[in-house]
Amino acid sequence: MYQYSQADHQLLQERVAQFRDQVQRRLNGDLSEDEFKQQRLRNGLYLQIHAYMLRVAVPYGLMSSEQMRTLAHIARKYDRGYGHFSTRQNIQYNWPKLEDVPQILDDLAKVEMHAIQTSGNCIRNTTSDPLAGVARDEIADPRPYCELIRQWSTFHPEFNFLPRKFKIAVSGAINDRAAVAVHDIGLRLVKNDAGELGLEVYVGGGLGRTPMIGKLIRKFLPTHDMLTYLEAILRVYNQLGRRDNLYKARIKILVHETGEEKFRELVEAEWNEIKKTGLALTDADIEAIQAHFKDPDYETLSDFDEDFDAHLLANAEFAKWAEKNVELHKKDGYRVVYLSLKSRNQPAGDVTADQMDAIADLADKYSLSAIRSTHRQNLVLSDVKLKDLYELWQELKALDLATPNYNHLTDLISCPGMDYCSLATARSIPIAQALTERFDSYDYINDLGDISLNISGCINACGHHHVANIGILGVNKKGVEVYQLTLGGSARDDASIGKIIGPAFTADEIVDAVATVLDVYLDQREDEEEGFLTTYRRIGQEPFKEKLYG
């Protein structure tokens, strides 16, 4: 992984010292909350319902075991013993005291972590494929390009006060696991007919109150031009994006109102002015960053292990976990392991300090000391030997991190909702827990197959409900929390926005409503191989409406 330079370390130390002074002036009453707000937001600090919330950046979802232990230390010393992984692959703490935040940032800086640009109207943490560098379907490793974007965007003076927040995702695989279509800019590494590596560039995706799928504005961009082209897009957005209306300020609105073709022309014109500047990447620039992401010294191993197969036959519980939470690795004899943060015993995405310490130990023992976070709020050990899977599973099971549900119904995404978030209008955590408890049969969720269920506690859609096969949006209607169902969304290669099925349900009704939707799917699918989304797109909404509303 990328190792900080002396300049990186100095930058973080100076930032911590600067914020320590700002916090002290706020505590002394020298700064009002309005004056302090813009300073804290630039350091990932929100003021929520009960307390401050600190969002820590995890660039492209990659962490070392040392960093994970520091996250555990912060949870234990400064918070209430846990953290929450978000859909941006970051981690959030819900209870830090303001006076402790500078020291938290100081502790983070010692392990090359920070909270810079995790909030505010700037370029946020770049997200990526959690299987980057180890996926069998990978065209090229996206992490070096994510790191180049991180360095370019950090403290970029021209883009420090954009019309609204700005999110970039990069994928390097045939299958999209980074939800690139619902980002302000989505980049996909591809090869042209000549075998040259380049990027597809999507712009204008996003969720929130006006969900949109990103538009492909360039089919092939040479990788050397990545930063100049991003700069051109941001310049057009910064000049023309609306600042008079919070709800129309995202780039998706600009692209929609300008028109895809006109927006493309504007970007290309701007790019032609700057493409030959010093921001253009050289071979040496790219190779220098790629050197940080070279393959480790993998052992030469067989992709068959007699003991592993024997455990599969002898232990049904292990076999279920291996089938759902283990994925092939690009190297024979290794596997990728998903650590489910979706057990019925704690909210989706939450992980305790003790679990974090244990995960760090497991990473050291089994997976080359590296951990990844996913946009579906889980963790990954990316380099586990096939022969170690049974032993690892036993340890994960003891930690309540082995629920066999990856990419299945109870692997649901949930925002913190009104239990923590000051923007939320309804609770999402209790609904997520009720769904997890209702659908706790492995055989049932296995029969349903690959399916996504996401929950948001307000129209800002931090739970990505718009792009779930089954989405739930909690809203407050005349003082009562109600839950609206959407069907047919997807965040993958076939990205689509789900459609509202009808009137909302109360908190007491919504779990039964989801059960009804699932019954219709099981009844209407052509065979066990036909997934929920395929069935929905084939039969439409009517059969679901009829069963839900009569």
Side-chain angles (χ1 to χ4, degrees):
M1 62 191 296
Y2 179 76
Q3 300 297 309
Y4 273 23
S5 66
Q6 180 57 39
D8 291 319
H9 283 286
Q10 182 176 345
L11 182 147
L12 289 193
Q13 289 164 0
E14 290 177 356
R15 184 69 168 202
V16 170
Q18 183 184 55
F19 192 57
R20 191 184 296 279
D21 177 66
Q22 291 163 350
V23 168
Q24 191 57 56
R25 284 191 286 149
R26 172 61 184 143
L27 292 171
N28 293 343
D30 297 332
L31 290 177
S32 68
E33 171 52 28
D34 281 348
E35 292 170 325
F36 181 60
K37 181 178 179 180
Q38 292 306 320
Q39 311 308 321
R40 62 173 171 78
L41 286 178
R42 277 163 172 70
N43 291 278
L45 190 63
Y46 290 76
L47 186 54
Q48 300 287 31
I49 294 175
H50 307 293
Y52 286 99
M53 182 274 281
L54 180 66
R55 180 178 294 152
V56 177
V58 181
Y60 34 96
L62 185 60
M63 294 163 281
S64 68
S65 55
E66 181 188 22
Q67 289 173 329
M68 182 62 88
R69 288 192 183 90
T70 297
L71 296 177
H73 157 75
I74 290 168
R76 188 176 290 115
K77 182 172 182 178
Y78 302 108
D79 208 86
R80 295 191 177 180
Y82 68 94
H84 172 80
F85 279 96
S86 74
T87 55
R88 302 278 326 143
Q89 299 178 287
N90 295 323
I91 186 169
Q92 299 177 174
Y93 297 100
N94 288 313
W95 300 97
K97 295 176 182 175
L98 178 58
E99 55 268 34
D100 289 337
V101 174
Q103 191 54 49
I104 294 174
L105 297 179
D106 194 35
D107 291 349
L108 288 169
K110 290 170 183 168
V111 293
E112 304 183 351
M113 300 189 84
H114 59 79
I116 296 166
Q117 293 184 199
T118 57
S119 59
N121 294 337
C122 56
I123 301 172
R124 303 285 187 88
N125 179 42
T126 298
T127 55
S128 189
D129 184 350
L131 306 192
V134 299
R136 286 203 173 183
D137 67 339
E138 192 163 85
I139 299 166
D141 189 343
R143 293 173 299 177
Y145 301 95
C146 294
E147 177 57 29
L148 285 164
I149 294 170
R150 186 194 72 80
Q151 295 186 16
W152 160 76
S153 62
T154 300
F155 296 147
H156 193 306
E158 191 173 338
F159 307 136
N160 192 38
F161 191 67
L162 294 165
R164 280 290 279 139
K165 58 188 174 183
F166 203 91
K167 301 174 181 178
I168 302 173
V170 187
S171 172
I174 292 171
N175 297 299
D176 180 14
R177 288 177 288 266
V180 296
V182 292
H183 283 74
D184 296 292
I185 294 178
L187 301 175
R188 298 194 70 165
L189 286 158
V190 294
K191 287 188 176 179
N192 61 14
D193 292 341
E196 298 165 325
L197 188 64
L199 295 152
E200 287 180 346
V201 182
Y202 296 81
V203 178
L207 300 175
R209 66 181 58 228
T210 312
M212 292 184 185
I213 300 299
K215 311 294 190 301
L216 179 61
I217 68 163
R218 211 169 209 284
K219 291 182 179 178
F220 188 84
L221 176 74
T223 52
H224 295 76
D225 295 319
M226 180 182 73
L227 294 185
T228 53
Y229 206 77
L230 292 180
E231 184 106 350
I233 295 170
L234 266 296
R235 281 191 171 184
V236 171
Y237 172 53
N238 207 18
Q239 292 168 22
L240 302 179
R242 292 183 62 172
R243 295 176 187 271
D244 62 323
N245 186 329
L246 181 70
Y247 305 117
K248 295 184 182 297
R250 296 291 291 269
I251 195 172
K252 61 188 175 184
I253 303 298
L254 176 64
V255 175
H256 177 72
E257 293 185 348
T258 304
E260 184 179 334
E261 188 56 39
K262 179 62 177 176
F263 183 83
R264 182 184 295 109
E265 290 175 7
L266 292 168
V267 171
E268 293 284 329
E270 183 67 31
W271 185 48
N272 281 327
E273 296 292 326
I274 63 174
K275 62 194 292 186
K276 301 297 184 185
T277 63
L279 195 58
L281 295 165
T282 64
D283 287 344
D285 293 330
I286 295 175
E287 289 167 4
I289 296 296
Q290 286 175 330
H292 289 276
F293 299 95
K294 284 184 176 177
D295 276 355
D297 293 328
Y298 289 118
E299 296 178 29
T300 301
L301 300 171
S302 168
D303 218 29
F304 170 76
D305 185 85
E306 187 176 344
D307 289 340
F308 171 72
D309 284 359
H311 286 306
L312 288 180
L313 290 173
N315 192 319
E317 193 177 0
F318 172 64
K320 291 173 181 176
W321 174 80
E323 181 185 4
K324 292 289 175 289
N325 290 26
V326 177
E327 193 154 330
L328 292 174
H329 191 285
K330 70 178 183 180
K331 293 291 184 184
D332 286 351
Y334 287 86
R335 293 293 185 271
V336 176
V337 173
Y338 294 102
L339 280 57
S340 174
L341 302 186
K342 312 294 172 56
S343 89
R344 59 183 299 172
N345 300 314
Q346 57 195 55
D350 277 14
V351 56
T352 68
D354 290 346
Q355 285 175 320
M356 285 189 259
D357 274 336
I359 291 167
D361 291 344
L362 293 176
D364 286 342
K365 186 176 180 181
Y366 296 109
S367 190
L368 306 176
S369 302
I371 304 126
R372 292 123 182 270
S373 53
T374 79
H375 96 273
R376 290 203 63 81
Q377 300 178 290
N378 291 299
L379 297 174
V380 170
L381 295 180
S382 58
D383 300 289
V384 181
K385 293 175 185 173
L386 179 61
K387 70 179 182 64
D388 292 335
L389 284 176
Y390 184 72
E391 190 177 345
L392 171 61
W393 168 70
Q394 291 177 303
E395 297 196 51
L396 290 175
K397 187 181 169 191
L399 293 166
D400 197 21
L401 296 170
T403 306
N405 60 357
Y406 189 72
N407 274 343
H408 283 63
L409 186 71
T410 53
D411 182 22
L412 49 82
I413 289 177
S414 174
C415 72
M418 210 162 67
D419 285 293
Y420 296 101
C421 180
S422 60
L423 299 176
T425 52
R427 291 173 178 81
S428 51
I429 291 175
I431 301 301
Q433 290 179 316
L435 287 162
T436 300
E437 290 171 6
R438 172 72 169 270
F439 303 112
D440 68 345
S441 163
Y442 172 85
D443 290 339
Y444 182 69
I445 68 167
N446 183 54
D447 188 30
L448 291 170
D450 188 336
I451 191 170
S452 58
L453 170 60
N454 299 350
I455 306 171
S456 299
C458 77
I459 196 62
N460 292 297
C462 291
H464 291 197
H465 67 278
H466 292 301
V467 287
N469 300 165
I470 302 173
I472 298 175
L473 168 63
V475 296
N476 190 306
K477 190 173 182 180
K478 298 180 179 178
V480 178
E481 294 171 45
V482 295
Y483 296 86
Q484 200 173 62
L485 268 179
T486 58
L487 300 181
S490 171
R492 299 182 183 174
D493 299 283
D494 58 349
S496 59
I497 303 298
K499 294 183 178 178
I500 297 170
I501 189 77
F505 300 90
T506 66
D508 293 334
E509 297 168 338
I510 187 62
V511 176
D512 286 338
V514 172
T516 299
V517 168
L518 296 171
D519 287 345
V520 173
Y521 159 60
L522 292 173
D523 184 57
Q524 294 282 336
R525 67 181 179 183
E526 290 188 332
D527 55 47
E528 293 181 1
E529 299 301 314
E530 187 178 65
F532 179 89
L533 200 55
T534 303
T535 299
Y536 172 79
R537 288 172 176 172
R538 178 172 56 78
I539 67 176
Q541 281 199 337
E542 286 309 314
F544 296 96
K545 275 188 175 179
E546 185 177 335
K547 286 291 185 181
L548 285 167
Y549 302 107

